[in-house]
Amino acid sequence: TQISRALSHESRVSGQQDEQADVDHEARAQQITIELLSRIPDMRRLLATDAQAAFDGDPACQNLDEVIFCYPGLEAITVYRIAHELQQLGVPLIPRMLCEWAHKETGIDIHPGASIGDHFFIDHGTGVVIGETTEIGSHVKIYQGVTLGALSFPTDADGNIIRSMKRHPTIEDRVVIYASATILGGRTVIGRDSVVGSSVWLTHSIDPNTTVIMEI
């Protein structure tokens, strides 16, 4: 029902209501819901890797149950993974509503359009921001206050924001990003097995196996 309402709302606000007068939003919503349900086993397997990454990455953690019931990072990632699937299935509005609810609850802001691999761990989590076109590989660990954002908002000849281009960075496999680091730009790639230190500001790519720190 909610997906059907979201589809109907999208056709109305986009000005396509008349063009889609014959579209059966309820039937399409049923198809989307069935497809989402079929993806639950894969989502569960993926989330199991996220829980394991949190347990493996935090020596203060006693067991997986503690991760599942206590860790805001896993809560935010769980909501993100569901919202991401809904967005991939073409559901408007609801994915953003889900992720903004998780943002309110956990302080972690993950856009449902981001692409995130397995074994993802957000430690502590408060203040983390992951933008829409961010790509994150497998076995990535990030700490509180990390921003994976855009350098600027490019506009077209009429001054309108260009929404379809990649604006956020790519984080390759087995990268660790420490607290309050800021990584910006759609062309910025953090190579695999790299470490980005606390409070670092990066707007350019770094090679694999690189450590970046801020010296005072």
Side-chain angles (χ1 to χ4, degrees):
T1 299
Q2 296 302 322
I3 293 173
S4 175
R5 290 173 178 173
L7 293 170
S8 178
H9 175 267
E10 178 71 8
S11 69
R12 183 170 63 254
V13 299
S14 65
Q16 297 178 342
Q17 190 168 20
D18 292 338
E19 299 174 17
Q20 299 183 1
D22 296 330
V23 174
D24 189 339
H25 294 302
E26 290 187 4
R28 185 180 170 206
Q30 287 180 349
Q31 292 173 347
I32 290 171
T33 304
I34 290 169
E35 177 60 27
L36 179 68
L37 291 172
S38 75
R39 297 185 183 189
I40 286 177
D42 288 337
M43 280 192 285
R44 188 171 186 228
R45 281 190 288 270
L46 192 56
L47 283 164
T49 73
D50 299 326
Q52 189 65 51
F55 177 72
D56 293 341
D58 186 359
C61 184
Q62 300 301 307
N63 51 59
L64 287 172
D65 289 343
E66 188 175 335
V67 175
I68 293 167
F69 288 106
C70 303
Y71 278 46
L74 186 65
E75 181 175 2
I77 294 166
T78 299
V79 175
Y80 153 78
R81 296 224 184 265
I82 297 168
H84 180 72
E85 293 300 327
L86 284 168
Q87 178 147 317
Q88 294 292 99
L89 290 168
V91 177
L93 192 57
I94 292 175
R96 285 302 303 272
M97 293 172 68
L98 287 170
C99 285
E100 290 304 330
W101 176 86
H103 182 195
K104 180 184 70 173
E105 292 293 310
T106 67
I108 299 168
D109 184 2
I110 309 176
H111 193 286
S115 175
I116 301 176
D118 58 273
H119 293 85
F120 182 50
F121 178 32
I122 302 174
D123 200 357
H124 305 294
T126 305
V128 165
V129 176
I130 300 175
E132 178 185 18
T133 61
T134 303
E135 297 177 37
I136 298 175
S138 299
H139 296 272
V140 170
K141 180 179 181 179
I142 66 177
Y143 285 82
Q144 68 273 15
V146 167
T147 297
L148 305 178
L151 266 173
S152 61
F153 299 102
T155 57
D156 60 22
D158 297 321
N160 299 312
I161 293 176
I162 301 173
R163 301 180 184 275
S164 58
M165 67 183 298
K166 184 167 173 25
R167 307 181 307 281
H168 305 94
T170 296
I171 313 298
E172 293 186 344
D173 296 345
R174 298 179 299 279
V175 169
V176 179
I177 307 173
Y178 282 96
S180 301
T182 297
I183 304 173
L184 305 178
R187 296 182 180 180
T188 303
V189 178
I190 306 303
R192 58 179 175 78
D193 298 295
S194 291
V195 176
V196 178
S198 295
S199 302
V200 165
W201 173 282
L202 270 178
T203 58
H204 60 82
S205 298
I206 62 173
D207 293 331
N209 299 290
T210 300
T211 298
V212 182
I213 61 172
M214 184 180 69
E215 294 185 349
I216 299 176

